[in-house]
Coordinates of all heavy atoms in Angstrom, one line a residue:
R387 N 12.8 8.5 1.7 CA 13.6 7.3 2.0 C 12.7 6.2 2.5 O 13.2 5.1 2.8 CB 14.7 7.6 3.0 CG 15.8 8.3 2.3 CD 17.0 8.4 3.2 NE 16.8 9.6 4.1 CZ 17.4 9.8 5.2 NH1 18.2 8.9 5.7 NH2 17.2 10.9 5.9
T388 N 11.4 6.5 2.7 CA 10.5 5.5 3.2 C 9.7 4.9 2.1 O 8.9 5.6 1.4 CB 9.5 6.1 4.2 OG1 10.3 6.8 5.2 CG2 8.6 5.1 4.9
P389 N 9.9 3.6 1.8 CA 9.3 3.0 0.6 C 7.8 3.1 0.4 O 7.4 3.2 -0.7 CB 9.7 1.5 0.7 CG 10.8 1.5 1.7 CD 10.7 2.6 2.6
F390 N 7.0 3.1 1.4 CA 5.6 3.1 1.3 C 5.0 4.5 1.3 O 3.8 4.6 1.2 CB 4.9 2.2 2.4 CG 5.3 2.6 3.8 CD1 4.5 3.6 4.4 CD2 6.3 2.0 4.5 CE1 4.8 4.0 5.7 CE2 6.6 2.4 5.8 CZ 5.9 3.4 6.4
L391 N 5.9 5.5 1.4 CA 5.4 6.9 1.4 C 5.7 7.5 0.0 O 6.8 7.4 -0.5 CB 6.0 7.8 2.5 CG 5.7 7.4 3.9 CD1 6.4 8.3 4.9 CD2 4.2 7.5 4.2
N392 N 4.7 8.2 -0.5 CA 4.8 8.9 -1.8 C 4.6 10.4 -1.6 O 3.5 10.8 -1.3 CB 3.8 8.4 -2.8 CG 3.9 9.1 -4.1 OD1 4.9 9.4 -4.6 ND2 2.7 9.3 -4.8
L393 N 5.7 11.1 -1.7 CA 5.6 12.6 -1.5 C 5.0 13.3 -2.7 O 5.6 13.3 -3.8 CB 7.0 13.2 -1.2 CG 7.1 14.6 -0.9 CD1 6.4 15.0 0.4 CD2 8.6 15.1 -0.8
V394 N 3.8 13.8 -2.5 CA 3.1 14.4 -3.7 C 3.2 16.0 -3.6 O 2.7 16.6 -4.5 CB 1.6 14.0 -3.8 CG1 1.6 12.5 -4.1 CG2 0.9 14.3 -2.5
G395 N 3.8 16.5 -2.5 CA 3.9 17.9 -2.5 C 4.7 18.4 -1.2 O 4.6 17.7 -0.2
R396 N 5.3 19.5 -1.4 CA 6.0 20.2 -0.2 C 5.7 21.7 -0.3 O 5.8 22.3 -1.3 CB 7.5 19.9 -0.3 CG 8.2 20.3 -1.6 CD 9.6 19.8 -1.7 NE 10.5 20.4 -0.7 CZ 11.6 19.9 -0.4 NH1 12.1 18.9 -1.0 NH2 12.4 20.5 0.5
Y397 N 5.3 22.2 0.8 CA 4.7 23.6 0.9 C 5.3 24.3 2.1 O 5.5 23.7 3.1 CB 3.2 23.5 0.9 CG 2.6 22.7 -0.2 CD1 2.3 21.4 0.0 CD2 2.5 23.3 -1.4 CE1 1.8 20.7 -1.1 CE2 2.0 22.6 -2.5 CZ 1.6 21.2 -2.3 OH 1.1 20.5 -3.4
N398 N 5.5 25.6 1.9 CA 6.0 26.4 3.0 C 4.9 27.3 3.6 O 5.2 28.1 4.4 CB 7.1 27.3 2.5 CG 6.8 28.2 1.4 OD1 5.6 28.5 1.1 ND2 7.8 28.8 0.8
S399 N 3.6 27.0 3.3 CA 2.5 27.7 3.9 C 1.3 26.8 4.0 O 1.1 25.9 3.2 CB 2.1 29.0 3.2 OG 1.3 28.7 2.1
A400 N 0.5 27.0 5.0 CA -0.7 26.2 5.3 C -1.7 26.5 4.2 O -2.5 25.6 3.8 CB -1.3 26.5 6.6
V401 N -1.8 27.7 3.7 CA -2.7 28.0 2.6 C -2.4 27.2 1.3 O -3.3 26.7 0.7 CB -2.7 29.6 2.3 CG1 -3.6 29.9 1.2 CG2 -3.2 30.3 3.6
E402 N -1.1 27.2 1.0 CA -0.8 26.4 -0.2 C -1.1 24.9 0.0 O -1.6 24.2 -0.9 CB 0.7 26.5 -0.5 CG 1.2 27.8 -1.0 CD 2.7 27.9 -1.1 OE1 3.4 27.0 -0.6 OE2 3.2 28.9 -1.6
A403 N -0.9 24.4 1.2 CA -1.2 23.0 1.5 C -2.7 22.7 1.4 O -3.1 21.7 0.9 CB -0.6 22.7 2.9
L404 N -3.5 23.6 1.9 CA -4.9 23.5 1.9 C -5.4 23.4 0.4 O -6.2 22.5 0.1 CB -5.6 24.6 2.6 CG -7.1 24.6 2.8 CD1 -7.5 23.3 3.5 CD2 -7.6 25.8 3.5
R405 N -4.9 24.2 -0.5 CA -5.2 24.1 -1.9 C -4.9 22.8 -2.4 O -5.6 22.2 -3.2 CB -4.5 25.2 -2.7 CG -5.1 26.6 -2.5 CD -4.4 27.6 -3.4 NE -4.7 28.9 -3.0 CZ -3.7 29.8 -2.6 NH1 -2.4 29.5 -2.8 NH2 -4.0 31.0 -2.2
A406 N -3.7 22.3 -2.1 CA -3.2 21.0 -2.6 C -4.1 19.8 -2.1 O -4.5 18.9 -2.8 CB -1.8 20.7 -2.2
I407 N -4.5 19.9 -0.8 CA -5.4 18.9 -0.2 C -6.7 18.8 -0.9 O -7.3 17.7 -1.1 CB -5.5 19.1 1.3 CG1 -4.2 18.8 2.0 CG2 -6.6 18.2 1.9 CD1 -4.1 19.4 3.4
H408 N -7.2 19.9 -1.3 CA -8.5 20.0 -2.0 C -8.4 19.6 -3.5 O -9.4 19.3 -4.1 CB -9.1 21.4 -1.9 CG -9.7 21.7 -0.5 ND1 -10.7 21.0 0.1 CD2 -9.3 22.6 0.4 CE1 -10.9 21.4 1.3 NE2 -10.1 22.4 1.5
S409 N -7.2 19.5 -4.0 CA -7.1 19.2 -5.5 C -6.5 17.9 -5.8 O -6.4 17.5 -6.9 CB -6.2 20.3 -6.1 OG -4.9 20.3 -5.7
Q410 N -6.0 17.2 -4.8 CA -5.4 15.8 -5.0 C -5.6 14.9 -3.8 O -6.0 15.4 -2.7 CB -3.9 16.0 -5.3 CG -3.1 16.5 -4.2 CD -1.6 16.8 -4.6 OE1 -1.1 16.1 -5.5 NE2 -1.0 17.8 -4.0
K411 N -5.4 13.7 -4.0 CA -5.5 12.7 -2.9 C -4.3 12.8 -2.0 O -3.2 12.5 -2.4 CB -5.7 11.3 -3.5 CG -5.9 10.2 -2.4 CD -6.1 8.9 -3.0 CE -6.4 7.8 -2.1 NZ -5.4 7.5 -1.1
V412 N -4.6 13.1 -0.7 CA -3.5 13.2 0.3 C -4.0 12.4 1.5 O -5.0 12.6 2.1 CB -3.2 14.7 0.7 CG1 -2.2 14.7 1.8 CG2 -2.8 15.5 -0.4
D413 N -3.2 11.4 1.8 CA -3.5 10.5 2.9 C -2.9 10.9 4.3 O -3.6 10.8 5.3 CB -3.0 9.0 2.7 CG -3.6 8.5 1.4 OD1 -4.8 8.5 1.2 OD2 -2.8 8.0 0.5
V414 N -1.7 11.5 4.2 CA -1.0 11.9 5.4 C -0.4 13.3 5.2 O 0.2 13.6 4.1 CB 0.1 10.9 5.8 CG1 0.9 11.5 7.0 CG2 -0.5 9.6 6.1
L415 N -0.5 14.1 6.2 CA 0.0 15.5 6.2 C 1.0 15.6 7.3 O 0.7 15.5 8.5 CB -1.1 16.5 6.4 CG -0.9 17.9 6.6 CD1 -0.1 18.5 5.4 CD2 -2.2 18.7 6.8
F416 N 2.3 15.9 6.9 CA 3.3 16.2 7.9 C 3.3 17.7 8.1 O 3.7 18.4 7.1 CB 4.7 15.7 7.4 CG 4.8 14.2 7.4 CD1 4.4 13.5 6.3 CD2 5.3 13.5 8.5 CE1 4.5 12.1 6.3 CE2 5.4 12.1 8.5 CZ 5.0 11.4 7.4
L417 N 2.9 18.2 9.2 CA 2.5 19.6 9.4 C 3.3 20.2 10.6 O 3.2 19.7 11.7 CB 1.0 19.7 9.6 CG 0.4 21.0 9.8 CD1 0.6 22.0 8.6 CD2 -1.1 20.9 10.1
A418 N 4.0 21.3 10.3 CA 4.7 22.0 11.3 C 3.6 22.8 12.2 O 2.6 23.2 11.7 CB 5.6 23.0 10.7

Side-chain angles (χ1 to χ4, degrees):
R387 287 189 272 159
T388 306
F390 58 87
L391 294 180
N392 178 37
L393 183 64
V394 295
R396 55 190 296 160
Y397 304 96
N398 60 14
S399 81
V401 174
E402 291 175 351
L404 186 58
R405 285 188 198 120
I407 291 165
H408 287 298
S409 67
Q410 63 188 330
K411 183 179 183 295
V412 176
D413 302 308
V414 175
L415 171 60
F416 291 87
L417 180 60

